[in-house]
Amino acid sequence: MGDGGGGVHGDFVAVMTLLLFLVQSATGCSLAFVKGPPEGPPPDERRLRQPPPLTCTTSSFLPYADGVGAIVPLFGALTVIALGGENAVALASALVGGLFTALLLGSASVGATRVSECRQAKAKERLHPPPPSVAAPPPGAPPEPEPTPPPPPLVPQHADPE
């Protein structure tokens, strides 16, 4: 029945291994593309101006995609082990699938944490908006005049009794 090339069973293991690599090449995006809120206060020169709005990721799509993507290599690894027996290709495929699962679960966790921190920072920004900006005069503008001091208090004139 087999022609010495591994047969249907060997082809299945090879196809599953290839599918694991193809599917996983499109995941792991949380580590690369999910931005958390900035760390610490803005630099001193920006404190005089209105700070820019937070630009971080609030969508949970990529962390969820990584979490769902972690199921594929896990399922593939378990399937290869169940059908592949104890040959070297099956064990290597299962190991690769297990490593991808761990990587994707880590990526999903990091992404979910960043999204949560971003949402908290944006909620805090809405509750406590920054103070209004103190704009510096444009370059070349004349300096503002110094305020005039108030007049001295009036001193009543006393007449000499002489």
Side-chain angles (χ1 to χ4, degrees), residues 9-32:
H9 188 270
D11 290 342
F12 176 76
V13 171
V15 168
M16 279 301 287
T17 303
L18 179 63
L19 284 176
L20 284 174
F21 284 113
L22 290 177
V23 168
Q24 297 317 307
S25 67
T27 58
C29 299
S30 293
L31 280 174

Side-chain angles (χ1 to χ4, degrees), residues 69-91:
I71 295 170
V72 174
L74 179 63
F75 176 74
L78 294 175
T79 303
V80 167
I81 289 173
L83 298 177
E86 293 187 18
N87 67 32
V89 173
L91 293 177

Side-chain angles (χ1 to χ4, degrees), residues 15-69:
V15 168
M16 279 301 287
T17 303
L18 179 63
L19 284 176
L20 284 174
F21 284 113
L22 290 177
V23 168
Q24 297 317 307
S25 67
T27 58
C29 299
S30 293
L31 280 174
F33 299 114
V34 174
K35 287 178 50 180
E39 303 271 336
D44 287 337
E45 68 270 5
R46 289 177 45 201
R47 288 187 185 187
L48 295 176
R49 294 185 215 106
Q50 182 81 15
L54 286 175
T55 55
C56 53
T57 306
T58 56
S59 170
S60 296
F61 175 75
L62 292 176
Y64 283 140
D66 286 344
V68 170

Side-chain angles (χ1 to χ4, degrees), residues 67-120:
V68 170
I71 295 170
V72 174
L74 179 63
F75 176 74
L78 294 175
T79 303
V80 167
I81 289 173
L83 298 177
E86 293 187 18
N87 67 32
V89 173
L91 293 177
S93 297
L95 178 64
V96 168
L99 289 174
F100 271 127
T101 298
L103 174 71
L104 288 173
L105 288 177
S107 177
S109 174
V110 167
T113 301
R114 288 178 183 168
V115 166
S116 175
E117 289 172 352
C118 178
R119 288 178 180 171
Q120 288 174 358

